[in-house]
Amino acid sequence: MTRSIKPLVAGNWKMNGLRAELAIAAEVARGYGAELRHAVDLAICPPATLHFAMTAALIGSRIATGGQDCSAQSSGAFTGEISAGMLSDAGATYAIVGHSERRTLHGETNATVKAKAEAAQKALLVPIVCVGETQAEREAGKALAVVKKQIRGSVPEGSTAATLVVAYEPVWAIGTGLTPTAADVAEMHAAIRAELGKALGKAAASGVRLLYGGSVKPSNAAELMNVAHVDGALVGGASLKAEDFLAIAKACA
Ligand code: 13P
């Protein structure tokens, strides 16, 4: 945790959720009482088809919503794409960009991710820029170098604490039940903070929320959130259960 930063717990539903699952968001809202609201910010990133309805369902709850990706373009002949402005129009506050599943399955490079983050900022969304090494890169001792390069290549110049969130998600920890040690997370988050300092200036970098993601569960959240420079979590599977998502939020608070 960074004492001066209010933590953010964001749920990434990925390609899960039909209208019936809006009930999960409503249940999270019911459990997000005054004390928890004071201590931790919450966001849910549903599939695009649910975005507008979810934002409507969450009115008054102070739970934000976010897209899971956005186009680098603002409009035009880009079949199947969703612009940052469209997400904003549907009520979004955030847009995840550069998730490892996008980088791997859709060939997104650091330059692509940066362009998407810039498009998000232009539409007044806060990009949650994801970075993280593969298992092979960690085993080769390259994790720090890979992530620093992703930060340099993916984060828009001029970003501030108010316009940027970064999520460290080791690829090998996503959906596997595996997590890095607290010491490894501490080392990586300190390195990310330092790299952001070089790119954005120390003052801006010191306030940017750095989330940890990858197999965050109620059982490991407190330990992970206690690590220096961990200012919240990006939660996949566990965000689809209201009880688990709220338990993680409480561990963060
Ligand atoms: P899991 O929490 O299911 O490991 O997913 C993490 C993730 O990819 C969030 O973006």
Side-chain angles (χ1 to χ4, degrees):
M1 286 289 191
T2 312
R3 265 168 194 276
S4 54
I5 299 178
K6 188 175 184 188
L8 167 67
V9 175
N12 175 7
W13 280 21
K14 308 192 180 184
M15 200 171 74
N16 297 292
L18 303 175
R19 283 182 296 162
E21 274 71 52
L22 291 170
I24 298 171
E27 196 182 335
V28 173
R30 280 194 294 279
Y32 189 48
E35 206 176 315
L36 201 52
R37 281 204 298 267
H38 183 72
V40 54
D41 286 335
L42 284 191
I44 302 177
C45 302
T49 46
L50 290 185
H51 210 127
F52 182 72
M54 183 174 288
T55 304
L58 291 175
I59 282 175
S61 70
R62 296 210 231 150
I63 299 173
T65 58
Q68 297 176 8
D69 178 40
C70 71
S71 173
Q73 312 293 332
S74 56
S75 65
F78 302 100
T79 302
E81 294 286 293
I82 294 171
S83 73
M86 290 169 178
L87 288 171
S88 174
D89 186 53
T93 302
Y94 299 97
I96 296 170
V97 293
H99 191 280
S100 75
E101 286 147 22
R102 302 287 320 173
R103 289 180 185 262
T104 309
L105 303 173
H106 299 268
E108 294 189 4
T109 63
N110 288 330
T112 319
V113 176
K114 183 179 179 183
K116 290 182 171 199
E118 286 169 346
Q121 290 176 338
K122 213 169 147 193
L124 302 182
L125 298 182
V126 177
I128 300 175
V129 176
C130 299
V131 295
E133 82 285 357
T134 63
Q135 183 154 24
E137 287 162 346
R138 176 151 292 266
E139 280 165 7
K142 292 182 184 157
L144 283 172
V146 165
V147 170
K148 284 190 206 173
K149 191 174 172 197
Q150 288 174 331
I151 291 287
R152 285 195 295 276
S154 312
V155 169
E157 288 92 19
S159 297
T160 66
T163 64
L164 175 72
V165 174
V166 170
Y168 168 56
E169 299 205 305
V171 179
W172 53 272
I174 295 175
T176 58
L178 302 171
T179 50
T181 63
D184 283 343
V185 175
E187 181 185 42
M188 186 60 83
H189 277 236
I192 291 171
R193 182 86 67 202
E195 204 59 37
L196 287 174
K198 286 187 214 160
L200 309 175
K202 264 199 170 169
S206 67
V208 173
R209 294 198 273 200
L210 307 185
L211 313 185
Y212 167 79
S215 296
V216 178
K217 306 265 182 296
S219 56
N220 60 21
E223 189 191 359
L224 288 162
M225 295 306 126
N226 263 326
V227 174
H229 297 296
V230 175
D231 312 310
L234 184 53
V235 184
S239 72
L240 290 159
K241 281 191 193 154
E243 195 187 341
D244 287 2
F245 191 56
L246 284 165
I248 291 166
K250 282 175 194 153
C252 233

